[in-house]
Structures are given as C-alpha cells and as structure tokens.
Amino acid sequence: MATKEKTLSDAFYETLKDVFYAEKQSVRALKKSAKAAKASELKNAFENHAEESAHQVERLTQIFELIGKPARAKTCEAMQGITSEMEEDLEEFASTEASDAVLIGCGQAIEHYEMARYGTLKAWAKKLGLSDVEKLLGETLEEEKKADALLSQIAERDQAAVSAKAA
C-alpha cells in the first residue's frame, strides 16, 4: 500500500498543532514568571502577555476552524525544553540579584521560538492562499515581537540601573 505524499498543507497543520501546544505552555510559563518577577514593570509585562497569549490560543482555535481541522495540540519538544530550563533557572536564581535578568532571558527564549513558528506559519499560509489565516497569524507574530521588544527594554533599563549603582 502506497503512502500518501505529504504536502505543505500537512506541514502547516502539524506545525499549527505544535504551536497550539507551545502557546498553552507559554501561558503557564508567563504566569509563573509574573509570580517570580521582583520588578513591578517585569511582573506587569509577564501578566499582560499571559492574557495576550490566552487570546492567541483562542486565535489559533479560530485558525483550526478556518482550515476545517480539529483544534488539537501536539507535544512540542522545543517548548518543553525551554520551560524545563526556565524551571531550573527559577530554582537556581530565585533569591539572587540576577533573578529578573534570568526571567527575562527565559521569556525571550519563549518569544523567539514563537516568533520563528508564527513567521513560518504565516509564510506558509500565504503560499497556501489562506489570506484570513495569514492575517490572524500576522497579528500574533506582531504581538510576540512587541512582547520581546518590551523584555529587551526592561533588561536594558535594569542593566543601566545596575551600572549606575556600581559607578
């Protein structure tokens, strides 16, 4: 029996299931990060992006509907790795001066993974002629980029404050 050749549409669906899982994990990780953050600005950034990520999960559900496929999550090994590293870092650095900096690094690892996935899915949606899906993925991609940029700004301000104290 010959197996059906895989298509870009198949790859799109498999990757969508992967990012659906990853986004759900991201919501949990962001909530944990918000609890662990010391600086109120960082705590707020994580809380706000956790809410935004919950909306992104809803948007993904909408995308599954648009392509006529069941909204299923497929275990994302990459996100599991990133979040387990985050857990370790939270334990190791929890009561240290570096804790917020470490949290920012973990948060950015999550954002960069998501930006890579959403960028790929958006490009594939365009190639597959799924303009409504492409638009929704573009919205999420922009939100991820903004969250990443905010974390960078917080990190730079934090570093400037540390440098000022040392001077």
Side-chain angles (χ1 to χ4, degrees):
M1 184 170 150
T3 56
K4 184 179 163 264
E5 190 175 313
K6 294 285 187 178
T7 65
L8 183 58
S9 192
D10 296 325
F12 182 87
Y13 181 52
E14 290 304 311
T15 305
L16 193 63
K17 291 190 298 189
D18 181 86
V19 86
F20 192 50
Y21 177 94
E23 200 64 68
K24 288 177 173 186
Q25 292 295 107
S26 174
V27 172
R28 285 190 206 106
L30 286 161
K31 287 178 179 176
K32 276 186 185 173
S33 297
K35 281 188 181 119
K38 292 177 182 167
S40 61
E41 183 184 18
L42 184 57
K43 189 177 285 291
N44 290 337
F46 284 133
E47 286 170 353
N48 292 338
H49 195 53
E51 280 179 40
E52 196 169 54
S53 292
H55 291 297
Q56 292 169 352
V57 169
E58 292 168 16
R59 198 177 289 142
L60 286 168
T61 303
Q62 191 181 348
I63 290 169
F64 281 110
E65 288 170 18
L66 285 169
I67 65 168
K69 299 270 190 183
R72 283 206 194 108
K74 175 175 91 173
T75 302
C76 174
E77 304 286 338
M79 188 58 81
Q80 281 190 319
I82 292 168
T83 54
S84 76
E85 268 185 29
M86 187 189 104
E87 297 284 335
E88 287 172 27
D89 288 348
L90 283 175
E91 277 181 39
E92 245 178 272
F93 293 93
S95 57
T96 71
E97 208 175 278
S99 66
D100 277 1
V102 168
L103 275 174
I104 289 169
C106 293
Q108 288 191 299
I110 291 171
E111 296 312 317
H112 286 231
Y113 177 74
E114 291 175 336
M115 289 184 320
R117 284 308 205 190
Y118 285 117
T120 297
L121 284 169
K122 182 178 181 246
W124 288 353
K126 182 180 179 118
K127 195 168 187 170
L128 292 166
L130 303 168
S131 57
D132 291 350
V133 170
E134 181 189 355
K135 182 180 175 291
L136 292 170
L137 290 165
E139 288 173 29
T140 299
L141 181 57
E142 288 311 307
E143 290 168 355
E144 301 297 7
K145 287 178 181 178
K146 283 181 191 160
D148 178 55
L150 178 58
L151 289 175
S152 289
Q153 289 169 2
I154 294 169
E156 287 163 14
R157 279 197 290 273
D158 189 46
Q159 187 55 48
V162 170
S163 298
K165 275 186 200 171

